[in-house]
Amino acid sequence: QLEILSYLGLREYHKVLDLGCGSLRLGRLLIPLLLPDNYYGIDPNKELIVEGFKNELGFDIQSIKRPKFLYVSDFSAEQFGVHFSYIMAQSIFTHTSYDLGVYALKKLMKVMNEETILVASFIENYKSCEDIEPGWNYPKCIAYTNADIHSMFNDAGLYAKTFNYPHPRQNWWVASTNLSMINSLS
C-alpha cells in the first residue's frame, strides 16, 4: 500500500485517509513518515487501533505525530473536516454489497477535491455477483466484474480505472473527481 501511494506521488506533507485502518498495517508506516496531523484513520473497532499502537508503534508517537481516528462504520470521514490528498481503501469494497459500495464512495467524495486520489482494491470476477447480502459482508469476500466496478464508481460520480500494481488476490483501482487526474495515472 505504501509503495502504491509513493508511486502516485505521496510526500510527507500530504493528508492521507486510511479507510479501515484496523491494527495499523499501513498506519505503522505512514504515521512516522507523514508530518504531524496528516494521518487519518477510520475503523469501527477501536481495540484494533489500540493494539496497533501497543504492538507496532508505541503510544509516544501519538503526541509527536498527532494521528486522528474515527471509530465509525458509516464512512463519515467528513467529521475530520479536511480534504485528503490520498484515500487508501485496501480490502474494503471486497466486503461491501454494491449499494453499500456506492454509498461509501459518495461519502468519501465529501472529503475529496480535484487533487485527491482514491486507491481501492477489488476482487474481480468474470460474472456479476448475485445473491449478495445487502450491507457489510465480512468475512465473506465479494467479487465484481470490471463493468460492475466501473458502474459503482460512476454511480457515485467518480472517474476510475484499474491500476496495474501487484496484489496476491485483488486488483487495484484509482479514482478521482477529476477525469484529467485519472487519465494521467498509469
PDB file of all heavy atoms in Angstrom, residues 55-90:
ATOM      1  N   ASN A  55       1.513  -2.797  19.840  1.00  0.00           N
ATOM      2  CA  ASN A  55       2.421  -3.814  19.295  1.00  0.00           C
ATOM      3  C   ASN A  55       3.329  -3.338  18.170  1.00  0.00           C
ATOM      4  O   ASN A  55       4.282  -4.036  17.830  1.00  0.00           O
ATOM      5  CB  ASN A  55       1.606  -5.018  18.810  1.00  0.00           C
ATOM      6  CG  ASN A  55       0.883  -5.702  19.945  1.00  0.00           C
ATOM      7  OD1 ASN A  55       1.472  -6.000  20.969  1.00  0.00           O
ATOM      8  ND2 ASN A  55      -0.413  -5.911  19.771  1.00  0.00           N
ATOM      9  N   GLU A  56       3.029  -2.189  17.569  1.00  0.00           N
ATOM     10  CA  GLU A  56       3.792  -1.761  16.396  1.00  0.00           C
ATOM     11  C   GLU A  56       4.526  -0.437  16.579  1.00  0.00           C
ATOM     12  O   GLU A  56       5.671  -0.306  16.191  1.00  0.00           O
ATOM     13  CB  GLU A  56       2.874  -1.646  15.167  1.00  0.00           C
ATOM     14  CG  GLU A  56       2.220  -2.944  14.745  1.00  0.00           C
ATOM     15  CD  GLU A  56       3.196  -3.956  14.168  1.00  0.00           C
ATOM     16  OE1 GLU A  56       4.304  -3.576  13.748  1.00  0.00           O
ATOM     17  OE2 GLU A  56       2.847  -5.134  14.145  1.00  0.00           O
ATOM     18  N   LEU A  57       3.848   0.571  17.111  1.00  0.00           N
ATOM     19  CA  LEU A  57       4.397   1.931  17.119  1.00  0.00           C
ATOM     20  C   LEU A  57       4.753   2.468  18.494  1.00  0.00           C
ATOM     21  O   LEU A  57       5.577   3.369  18.604  1.00  0.00           O
ATOM     22  CB  LEU A  57       3.382   2.899  16.483  1.00  0.00           C
ATOM     23  CG  LEU A  57       3.211   2.801  14.989  1.00  0.00           C
ATOM     24  CD1 LEU A  57       2.009   3.602  14.533  1.00  0.00           C
ATOM     25  CD2 LEU A  57       4.460   3.277  14.282  1.00  0.00           C
ATOM     26  N   GLY A  58       4.112   1.970  19.511  1.00  0.00           N
ATOM     27  CA  GLY A  58       4.236   2.585  20.825  1.00  0.00           C
ATOM     28  C   GLY A  58       3.283   3.769  20.909  1.00  0.00           C
ATOM     29  O   GLY A  58       2.838   4.300  19.891  1.00  0.00           O
ATOM     30  N   PHE A  59       2.970   4.192  22.099  1.00  0.00           N
ATOM     31  CA  PHE A  59       1.982   5.250  22.296  1.00  0.00           C
ATOM     32  C   PHE A  59       2.591   6.650  22.242  1.00  0.00           C
ATOM     33  O   PHE A  59       1.890   7.623  22.015  1.00  0.00           O
ATOM     34  CB  PHE A  59       1.221   5.034  23.604  1.00  0.00           C
ATOM     35  CG  PHE A  59       0.348   3.803  23.570  1.00  0.00           C
ATOM     36  CD1 PHE A  59       0.774   2.622  24.156  1.00  0.00           C
ATOM     37  CD2 PHE A  59      -0.877   3.816  22.925  1.00  0.00           C
ATOM     38  CE1 PHE A  59      -0.017   1.478  24.100  1.00  0.00           C
ATOM     39  CE2 PHE A  59      -1.674   2.686  22.862  1.00  0.00           C
ATOM     40  CZ  PHE A  59      -1.233   1.511  23.455  1.00  0.00           C
ATOM     41  N   ASP A  60       3.896   6.783  22.440  1.00  0.00           N
ATOM     42  CA  ASP A  60       4.531   8.108  22.437  1.00  0.00           C
ATOM     43  C   ASP A  60       4.387   8.824  21.100  1.00  0.00           C
ATOM     44  O   ASP A  60       4.305  10.049  21.059  1.00  0.00           O
ATOM     45  CB  ASP A  60       6.023   7.997  22.789  1.00  0.00           C
ATOM     46  CG  ASP A  60       6.250   7.610  24.240  1.00  0.00           C
ATOM     47  OD1 ASP A  60       5.306   7.755  25.050  1.00  0.00           O
ATOM     48  OD2 ASP A  60       7.370   7.158  24.560  1.00  0.00           O
ATOM     49  N   ILE A  61       4.351   8.069  20.016  1.00  0.00           N
ATOM     50  CA  ILE A  61       4.267   8.689  18.690  1.00  0.00           C
ATOM     51  C   ILE A  61       2.966   9.470  18.507  1.00  0.00           C
ATOM     52  O   ILE A  61       2.898  10.385  17.694  1.00  0.00           O
ATOM     53  CB  ILE A  61       4.459   7.643  17.573  1.00  0.00           C
ATOM     54  CG1 ILE A  61       4.842   8.350  16.263  1.00  0.00           C
ATOM     55  CG2 ILE A  61       3.216   6.767  17.410  1.00  0.00           C
ATOM     56  CD1 ILE A  61       5.393   7.430  15.207  1.00  0.00           C
ATOM     57  N   GLN A  62       1.948   9.135  19.285  1.00  0.00           N
ATOM     58  CA  GLN A  62       0.678   9.851  19.170  1.00  0.00           C
ATOM     59  C   GLN A  62       0.833  11.328  19.509  1.00  0.00           C
ATOM     60  O   GLN A  62       0.242  12.177  18.837  1.00  0.00           O
ATOM     61  CB  GLN A  62      -0.395   9.206  20.060  1.00  0.00           C
ATOM     62  CG  GLN A  62      -0.836   7.857  19.551  1.00  0.00           C
ATOM     63  CD  GLN A  62      -1.867   7.211  20.448  1.00  0.00           C
ATOM     64  OE1 GLN A  62      -1.863   7.375  21.662  1.00  0.00           O
ATOM     65  NE2 GLN A  62      -2.766   6.468  19.833  1.00  0.00           N
ATOM     66  N   SER A  63       1.632  11.652  20.513  1.00  0.00           N
ATOM     67  CA  SER A  63       1.813  13.058  20.869  1.00  0.00           C
ATOM     68  C   SER A  63       2.757  13.770  19.900  1.00  0.00           C
ATOM     69  O   SER A  63       2.700  14.992  19.766  1.00  0.00           O
ATOM     70  CB  SER A  63       2.332  13.194  22.305  1.00  0.00           C
ATOM     71  OG  SER A  63       3.597  12.573  22.438  1.00  0.00           O
ATOM     72  N   ILE A  64       3.581  13.028  19.212  1.00  0.00           N
ATOM     73  CA  ILE A  64       4.522  13.623  18.255  1.00  0.00           C
ATOM     74  C   ILE A  64       3.857  13.855  16.898  1.00  0.00           C
ATOM     75  O   ILE A  64       3.923  14.943  16.338  1.00  0.00           O
ATOM     76  CB  ILE A  64       5.761  12.723  18.098  1.00  0.00           C
ATOM     77  CG1 ILE A  64       6.490  12.601  19.435  1.00  0.00           C
ATOM     78  CG2 ILE A  64       6.690  13.241  16.999  1.00  0.00           C
ATOM     79  CD1 ILE A  64       7.515  11.482  19.482  1.00  0.00           C
ATOM     80  N   LYS A  65       3.195  12.836  16.369  1.00  0.00           N
ATOM     81  CA  LYS A  65       2.624  12.901  15.021  1.00  0.00           C
ATOM     82  C   LYS A  65       1.143  13.258  15.003  1.00  0.00           C
ATOM     83  O   LYS A  65       0.592  13.605  13.963  1.00  0.00           O
ATOM     84  CB  LYS A  65       2.844  11.565  14.292  1.00  0.00           C
ATOM     85  CG  LYS A  65       4.305  11.284  13.988  1.00  0.00           C
ATOM     86  CD  LYS A  65       4.849  12.280  12.987  1.00  0.00           C
ATOM     87  CE  LYS A  65       6.251  11.896  12.549  1.00  0.00           C
ATOM     88  NZ  LYS A  65       6.629  12.514  11.287  1.00  0.00           N
ATOM     89  N   ARG A  66       0.470  13.142  16.119  1.00  0.00           N
ATOM     90  CA  ARG A  66      -0.941  13.519  16.280  1.00  0.00           C
ATOM     91  C   ARG A  66      -1.862  12.910  15.204  1.00  0.00           C
ATOM     92  O   ARG A  66      -2.613  13.636  14.547  1.00  0.00           O
ATOM     93  CB  ARG A  66      -1.095  15.031  16.340  1.00  0.00           C
ATOM     94  CG  ARG A  66      -0.384  15.673  17.511  1.00  0.00           C
ATOM     95  CD  ARG A  66      -0.598  17.160  17.610  1.00  0.00           C
ATOM     96  NE  ARG A  66      -0.169  17.909  16.438  1.00  0.00           N
ATOM     97  CZ  ARG A  66       1.074  18.376  16.242  1.00  0.00           C
ATOM     98  NH1 ARG A  66       2.009  18.149  17.128  1.00  0.00           N
ATOM     99  NH2 ARG A  66       1.365  19.073  15.155  1.00  0.00           N
ATOM    100  N   PRO A  67      -1.812  11.586  15.024  1.00  0.00           N
ATOM    101  CA  PRO A  67      -2.754  10.973  14.079  1.00  0.00           C
ATOM    102  C   PRO A  67      -4.177  11.124  14.607  1.00  0.00           C
ATOM    103  O   PRO A  67      -4.395  11.214  15.817  1.00  0.00           O
ATOM    104  CB  PRO A  67      -2.323   9.505  14.058  1.00  0.00           C
ATOM    105  CG  PRO A  67      -1.683   9.286  15.398  1.00  0.00           C
ATOM    106  CD  PRO A  67      -1.022  10.591  15.746  1.00  0.00           C
ATOM    107  N   LYS A  68      -5.130  11.167  13.678  1.00  0.00           N
ATOM    108  CA  LYS A  68      -6.539  11.338  14.042  1.00  0.00           C
ATOM    109  C   LYS A  68      -7.302  10.069  13.668  1.00  0.00           C
ATOM    110  O   LYS A  68      -7.054   9.479  12.623  1.00  0.00           O
ATOM    111  CB  LYS A  68      -7.156  12.520  13.287  1.00  0.00           C
ATOM    112  CG  LYS A  68      -6.348  13.802  13.326  1.00  0.00           C
ATOM    113  CD  LYS A  68      -6.453  14.504  14.649  1.00  0.00           C
ATOM    114  CE  LYS A  68      -5.825  15.869  14.631  1.00  0.00           C
ATOM    115  NZ  LYS A  68      -4.388  15.911  14.659  1.00  0.00           N
ATOM    116  N   PHE A  69      -8.271   9.705  14.503  1.00  0.00           N
ATOM    117  CA  PHE A  69      -9.049   8.498  14.259  1.00  0.00           C
ATOM    118  C   PHE A  69     -10.528   8.751  14.487  1.00  0.00           C
ATOM    119  O   PHE A  69     -10.910   9.535  15.354  1.00  0.00           O
ATOM    120  CB  PHE A  69      -8.590   7.364  15.191  1.00  0.00           C
ATOM    121  CG  PHE A  69      -7.179   6.933  14.936  1.00  0.00           C
ATOM    122  CD1 PHE A  69      -6.146   7.464  15.687  1.00  0.00           C
ATOM    123  CD2 PHE A  69      -6.883   6.027  13.936  1.00  0.00           C
ATOM    124  CE1 PHE A  69      -4.834   7.089  15.450  1.00  0.00           C
ATOM    125  CE2 PHE A  69      -5.583   5.643  13.690  1.00  0.00           C
ATOM    126  CZ  PHE A  69      -4.551   6.180  14.446  1.00  0.00           C
ATOM    127  N   LEU A  70     -11.338   8.050  13.700  1.00  0.00           N
ATOM    128  CA  LEU A  70     -12.781   7.964  13.923  1.00  0.00           C
ATOM    129  C   LEU A  70     -13.130   6.488  14.045  1.00  0.00           C
ATOM    130  O   LEU A  70     -12.630   5.656  13.278  1.00  0.00           O
ATOM    131  CB  LEU A  70     -13.559   8.563  12.747  1.00  0.00           C
ATOM    132  CG  LEU A  70     -13.584  10.074  12.620  1.00  0.00           C
ATOM    133  CD1 LEU A  70     -14.282  10.477  11.317  1.00  0.00           C
ATOM    134  CD2 LEU A  70     -14.301  10.701  13.810  1.00  0.00           C
ATOM    135  N   TYR A  71     -13.984   6.176  14.993  1.00  0.00           N
ATOM    136  CA  TYR A  71     -14.412   4.796  15.220  1.00  0.00           C
ATOM    137  C   TYR A  71     -15.852   4.677  14.747  1.00  0.00           C
ATOM    138  O   TYR A  71     -16.787   4.647  15.544  1.00  0.00           O
ATOM    139  CB  TYR A  71     -14.259   4.456  16.701  1.00  0.00           C
ATOM    140  CG  TYR A  71     -12.887   4.841  17.221  1.00  0.00           C
ATOM    141  CD1 TYR A  71     -12.726   5.939  18.063  1.00  0.00           C
ATOM    142  CD2 TYR A  71     -11.751   4.146  16.824  1.00  0.00           C
ATOM    143  CE1 TYR A  71     -11.472   6.312  18.515  1.00  0.00           C
ATOM    144  CE2 TYR A  71     -10.489   4.503  17.263  1.00  0.00           C
ATOM    145  CZ  TYR A  71     -10.358   5.591  18.115  1.00  0.00           C
ATOM    146  OH  TYR A  71      -9.116   5.961  18.549  1.00  0.00           O
ATOM    147  N   VAL A  72     -16.017   4.669  13.430  1.00  0.00           N
ATOM    148  CA  VAL A  72     -17.344   4.648  12.815  1.00  0.00           C
ATOM    149  C   VAL A  72     -17.395   3.576  11.734  1.00  0.00           C
ATOM    150  O   VAL A  72     -16.370   3.165  11.197  1.00  0.00           O
ATOM    151  CB  VAL A  72     -17.710   6.028  12.209  1.00  0.00           C
ATOM    152  CG1 VAL A  72     -17.768   7.098  13.286  1.00  0.00           C
ATOM    153  CG2 VAL A  72     -16.721   6.426  11.125  1.00  0.00           C
ATOM    154  N   SER A  73     -18.594   3.159  11.411  1.00  0.00           N
ATOM    155  CA  SER A  73     -18.772   2.160  10.348  1.00  0.00           C
ATOM    156  C   SER A  73     -19.569   2.722   9.171  1.00  0.00           C
ATOM    157  O   SER A  73     -19.929   1.981   8.271  1.00  0.00           O
ATOM    158  CB  SER A  73     -19.476   0.920  10.903  1.00  0.00           C
ATOM    159  OG  SER A  73     -20.733   1.283  11.443  1.00  0.00           O
ATOM    160  N   ASP A  74     -19.828   4.038   9.192  1.00  0.00           N
ATOM    161  CA  ASP A  74     -20.673   4.624   8.143  1.00  0.00           C
ATOM    162  C   ASP A  74     -19.888   5.479   7.138  1.00  0.00           C
ATOM    163  O   ASP A  74     -20.475   6.249   6.398  1.00  0.00           O
ATOM    164  CB  ASP A  74     -21.792   5.452   8.781  1.00  0.00           C
ATOM    165  CG  ASP A  74     -21.266   6.665   9.536  1.00  0.00           C
ATOM    166  OD1 ASP A  74     -20.036   6.832   9.654  1.00  0.00           O
ATOM    167  OD2 ASP A  74     -22.106   7.451  10.012  1.00  0.00           O
ATOM    168  N   PHE A  75     -18.541   5.336   7.135  1.00  0.00           N
ATOM    169  CA  PHE A  75     -17.679   6.026   6.159  1.00  0.00           C
ATOM    170  C   PHE A  75     -17.754   7.553   6.279  1.00  0.00           C
ATOM    171  O   PHE A  75     -17.479   8.257   5.328  1.00  0.00           O
ATOM    172  CB  PHE A  75     -18.029   5.600   4.726  1.00  0.00           C
ATOM    173  CG  PHE A  75     -18.027   4.114   4.526  1.00  0.00           C
ATOM    174  CD1 PHE A  75     -19.212   3.388   4.522  1.00  0.00           C
ATOM    175  CD2 PHE A  75     -16.840   3.424   4.351  1.00  0.00           C
ATOM    176  CE1 PHE A  75     -19.215   2.015   4.348  1.00  0.00           C
ATOM    177  CE2 PHE A  75     -16.830   2.050   4.179  1.00  0.00           C
ATOM    178  CZ  PHE A  75     -18.015   1.335   4.170  1.00  0.00           C
ATOM    179  N   SER A  76     -18.108   8.073   7.442  1.00  0.00           N
ATOM    180  CA  SER A  76     -18.336   9.508   7.603  1.00  0.00           C
ATOM    181  C   SER A  76     -17.039  10.269   7.866  1.00  0.00           C
ATOM    182  O   SER A  76     -16.862  10.904   8.897  1.00  0.00           O
ATOM    183  CB  SER A  76     -19.348   9.768   8.716  1.00  0.00           C
ATOM    184  OG  SER A  76     -18.919   9.173   9.926  1.00  0.00           O
ATOM    185  N   ALA A  77     -16.139  10.243   6.907  1.00  0.00           N
ATOM    186  CA  ALA A  77     -14.838  10.912   7.025  1.00  0.00           C
ATOM    187  C   ALA A  77     -14.971  12.429   7.081  1.00  0.00           C
ATOM    188  O   ALA A  77     -14.039  13.115   7.513  1.00  0.00           O
ATOM    189  CB  ALA A  77     -13.945  10.508   5.855  1.00  0.00           C
ATOM    190  N   GLU A  78     -16.114  12.967   6.674  1.00  0.00           N
ATOM    191  CA  GLU A  78     -16.281  14.424   6.704  1.00  0.00           C
ATOM    192  C   GLU A  78     -16.194  14.972   8.131  1.00  0.00           C
ATOM    193  O   GLU A  78     -15.962  16.168   8.322  1.00  0.00           O
ATOM    194  CB  GLU A  78     -17.584  14.850   6.020  1.00  0.00           C
ATOM    195  CG  GLU A  78     -18.848  14.497   6.754  1.00  0.00           C
ATOM    196  CD  GLU A  78     -19.399  13.106   6.438  1.00  0.00           C
ATOM    197  OE1 GLU A  78     -18.706  12.299   5.771  1.00  0.00           O
ATOM    198  OE2 GLU A  78     -20.519  12.813   6.879  1.00  0.00           O
ATOM    199  N   GLN A  79     -16.345  14.114   9.123  1.00  0.00           N
ATOM    200  CA  GLN A  79     -16.202  14.548  10.519  1.00  0.00           C
ATOM    201  C   GLN A  79     -14.798  15.079  10.817  1.00  0.00           C
ATOM    202  O   GLN A  79     -14.607  15.848  11.745  1.00  0.00           O
ATOM    203  CB  GLN A  79     -16.523  13.400  11.475  1.00  0.00           C
ATOM    204  CG  GLN A  79     -17.977  12.981  11.471  1.00  0.00           C
ATOM    205  CD  GLN A  79     -18.219  11.866  12.471  1.00  0.00           C
ATOM    206  OE1 GLN A  79     -17.802  11.955  13.618  1.00  0.00           O
ATOM    207  NE2 GLN A  79     -18.896  10.810  12.033  1.00  0.00           N
ATOM    208  N   PHE A  80     -13.812  14.671  10.015  1.00  0.00           N
ATOM    209  CA  PHE A  80     -12.452  15.182  10.207  1.00  0.00           C
ATOM    210  C   PHE A  80     -12.338  16.657   9.804  1.00  0.00           C
ATOM    211  O   PHE A  80     -11.453  17.361  10.267  1.00  0.00           O
ATOM    212  CB  PHE A  80     -11.446  14.377   9.387  1.00  0.00           C
ATOM    213  CG  PHE A  80     -11.151  13.005   9.925  1.00  0.00           C
ATOM    214  CD1 PHE A  80     -11.317  11.887   9.123  1.00  0.00           C
ATOM    215  CD2 PHE A  80     -10.683  12.825  11.218  1.00  0.00           C
ATOM    216  CE1 PHE A  80     -11.016  10.625   9.593  1.00  0.00           C
ATOM    217  CE2 PHE A  80     -10.391  11.559  11.703  1.00  0.00           C
ATOM    218  CZ  PHE A  80     -10.558  10.454  10.890  1.00  0.00           C
ATOM    219  N   GLY A  81     -13.185  17.102   8.884  1.00  0.00           N
ATOM    220  CA  GLY A  81     -13.167  18.491   8.462  1.00  0.00           C
ATOM    221  C   GLY A  81     -12.020  18.862   7.529  1.00  0.00           C
ATOM    222  O   GLY A  81     -11.624  20.030   7.502  1.00  0.00           O
ATOM    223  N   VAL A  82     -11.476  17.898   6.808  1.00  0.00           N
ATOM    224  CA  VAL A  82     -10.380  18.173   5.871  1.00  0.00           C
ATOM    225  C   VAL A  82     -10.639  17.462   4.545  1.00  0.00           C
ATOM    226  O   VAL A  82     -11.432  16.518   4.476  1.00  0.00           O
ATOM    227  CB  VAL A  82      -9.003  17.728   6.428  1.00  0.00           C
ATOM    228  CG1 VAL A  82      -8.659  18.454   7.708  1.00  0.00           C
ATOM    229  CG2 VAL A  82      -8.954  16.228   6.634  1.00  0.00           C
ATOM    230  N   HIS A  83      -9.942  17.918   3.515  1.00  0.00           N
ATOM    231  CA  HIS A  83      -9.903  17.201   2.245  1.00  0.00           C
ATOM    232  C   HIS A  83      -8.566  16.473   2.180  1.00  0.00           C
ATOM    233  O   HIS A  83      -7.543  17.010   2.609  1.00  0.00           O
ATOM    234  CB  HIS A  83     -10.049  18.171   1.066  1.00  0.00           C
ATOM    235  CG  HIS A  83     -11.434  18.669   0.899  1.00  0.00           C
ATOM    236  ND1 HIS A  83     -11.861  19.866   1.439  1.00  0.00           N
ATOM    237  CD2 HIS A  83     -12.510  18.129   0.280  1.00  0.00           C
ATOM    238  CE1 HIS A  83     -13.135  20.035   1.155  1.00  0.00           C
ATOM    239  NE2 HIS A  83     -13.562  19.003   0.466  1.00  0.00           N
ATOM    240  N   PHE A  84      -8.593  15.278   1.651  1.00  0.00           N
ATOM    241  CA  PHE A  84      -7.410  14.426   1.657  1.00  0.00           C
ATOM    242  C   PHE A  84      -6.701  14.441   0.306  1.00  0.00           C
ATOM    243  O   PHE A  84      -7.331  14.600  -0.737  1.00  0.00           O
ATOM    244  CB  PHE A  84      -7.792  12.993   2.032  1.00  0.00           C
ATOM    245  CG  PHE A  84      -8.304  12.899   3.425  1.00  0.00           C
ATOM    246  CD1 PHE A  84      -9.665  12.881   3.684  1.00  0.00           C
ATOM    247  CD2 PHE A  84      -7.424  12.874   4.497  1.00  0.00           C
ATOM    248  CE1 PHE A  84     -10.142  12.826   4.982  1.00  0.00           C
ATOM    249  CE2 PHE A  84      -7.889  12.830   5.797  1.00  0.00           C
ATOM    250  CZ  PHE A  84      -9.247  12.795   6.043  1.00  0.00           C
ATOM    251  N   SER A  85      -5.403  14.246   0.361  1.00  0.00           N
ATOM    252  CA  SER A  85      -4.603  14.077  -0.850  1.00  0.00           C
ATOM    253  C   SER A  85      -4.787  12.660  -1.390  1.00  0.00           C
ATOM    254  O   SER A  85      -4.894  12.452  -2.599  1.00  0.00           O
ATOM    255  CB  SER A  85      -3.117  14.319  -0.555  1.00  0.00           C
ATOM    256  OG  SER A  85      -2.919  15.541   0.096  1.00  0.00           O
ATOM    257  N   TYR A  86      -4.802  11.695  -0.461  1.00  0.00           N
ATOM    258  CA  TYR A  86      -4.949  10.282  -0.814  1.00  0.00           C
ATOM    259  C   TYR A  86      -5.924   9.618   0.148  1.00  0.00           C
ATOM    260  O   TYR A  86      -5.929   9.924   1.341  1.00  0.00           O
ATOM    261  CB  TYR A  86      -3.606   9.543  -0.735  1.00  0.00           C
ATOM    262  CG  TYR A  86      -2.589  10.056  -1.708  1.00  0.00           C
ATOM    263  CD1 TYR A  86      -1.674  11.033  -1.328  1.00  0.00           C
ATOM    264  CD2 TYR A  86      -2.553   9.584  -3.015  1.00  0.00           C
ATOM    265  CE1 TYR A  86      -0.748  11.524  -2.224  1.00  0.00           C
ATOM    266  CE2 TYR A  86      -1.627  10.071  -3.919  1.00  0.00           C
ATOM    267  CZ  TYR A  86      -0.727  11.042  -3.515  1.00  0.00           C
ATOM    268  OH  TYR A  86       0.184  11.533  -4.405  1.00  0.00           O
ATOM    269  N   ILE A  87      -6.692   8.690  -0.396  1.00  0.00           N
ATOM    270  CA  ILE A  87      -7.545   7.827   0.417  1.00  0.00           C
ATOM    271  C   ILE A  87      -7.198   6.401   0.034  1.00  0.00           C
ATOM    272  O   ILE A  87      -7.255   6.035  -1.150  1.00  0.00           O
ATOM    273  CB  ILE A  87      -9.047   8.093   0.168  1.00  0.00           C
ATOM    274  CG1 ILE A  87      -9.396   9.538   0.527  1.00  0.00           C
ATOM    275  CG2 ILE A  87      -9.898   7.094   0.948  1.00  0.00           C
ATOM    276  CD1 ILE A  87     -10.808   9.951   0.105  1.00  0.00           C
ATOM    277  N   MET A  88      -6.821   5.596   1.026  1.00  0.00           N
ATOM    278  CA  MET A  88      -6.491   4.191   0.779  1.00  0.00           C
ATOM    279  C   MET A  88      -7.615   3.329   1.330  1.00  0.00           C
ATOM    280  O   MET A  88      -7.958   3.420   2.513  1.00  0.00           O
ATOM    281  CB  MET A  88      -5.161   3.834   1.450  1.00  0.00           C
ATOM    282  CG  MET A  88      -4.793   2.361   1.340  1.00  0.00           C
ATOM    283  SD  MET A  88      -4.645   1.704  -0.349  1.00  0.00           S
ATOM    284  CE  MET A  88      -3.072   2.379  -0.858  1.00  0.00           C
ATOM    285  N   ALA A  89      -8.180   2.504   0.458  1.00  0.00           N
ATOM    286  CA  ALA A  89      -9.266   1.597   0.851  1.00  0.00           C
ATOM    287  C   ALA A  89      -8.875   0.175   0.458  1.00  0.00           C
ATOM    288  O   ALA A  89      -9.368  -0.386  -0.519  1.00  0.00           O
ATOM    289  CB  ALA A  89     -10.573   2.005   0.188  1.00  0.00           C
ATOM    290  N   GLN A  90      -7.940  -0.391   1.222  1.00  0.00           N
ATOM    291  CA  GLN A  90      -7.468  -1.757   0.985  1.00  0.00           C
ATOM    292  C   GLN A  90      -8.487  -2.743   1.541  1.00  0.00           C
ATOM    293  O   GLN A  90      -8.797  -2.725   2.720  1.00  0.00           O
ATOM    294  CB  GLN A  90      -6.098  -1.939   1.657  1.00  0.00           C
ATOM    295  CG  GLN A  90      -5.736  -3.353   2.047  1.00  0.00           C
ATOM    296  CD  GLN A  90      -5.456  -4.270   0.878  1.00  0.00           C
ATOM    297  OE1 GLN A  90      -5.073  -3.835  -0.188  1.00  0.00           O
ATOM    298  NE2 GLN A  90      -5.662  -5.544   1.074  1.00  0.00           N
TER     299      GLN A  90
END
